[in-house]
Amino acid sequence: MYPTTPTPAHVVLQAQRSDVHTVLVDGHVAKYRHRLRGIDLRAVRHHVENTVEHLRTQLGESEWHKGMNPEVPRAKTIEQSRFGIEQPPVGL
């Protein structure tokens, strides 16, 4: 038996952010020893908050609420989709 996912892909897919020691972006160290470098998180947070506030203002509270809390359609089983009924026929 062999893995169905190529090993490098499996390692990447299973990695958590705490597994990343160092990140280079365009030749610059963005993360080292598990800590971000050269990033003003307070400024980033402020920018995101301003963007959210702008969107809320443009959309209005009702549309914002609908967008943030969308209706989730009830999932159907394959049998329900195939037969268009709640329960599949007996013996299938």
Side-chain angles (χ1 to χ4, degrees), residues 10-21 31 34:
H10 183 73
V11 170
V12 169
L13 291 172
Q14 293 303 312
Q16 303 293 315
R17 68 178 176 191
S18 61
D19 296 322
V20 179
H21 181 276
K31 184 175 184 178
H34 307 283

Side-chain angles (χ1 to χ4, degrees), residues 55-56 58-69:
L55 290 171
R56 285 181 94 148
Q58 294 298 308
L59 290 172
E61 280 301 314
S62 177
E63 288 300 314
W64 174 261
H65 184 74
K66 285 195 294 189
M68 296 304 293
N69 302 285

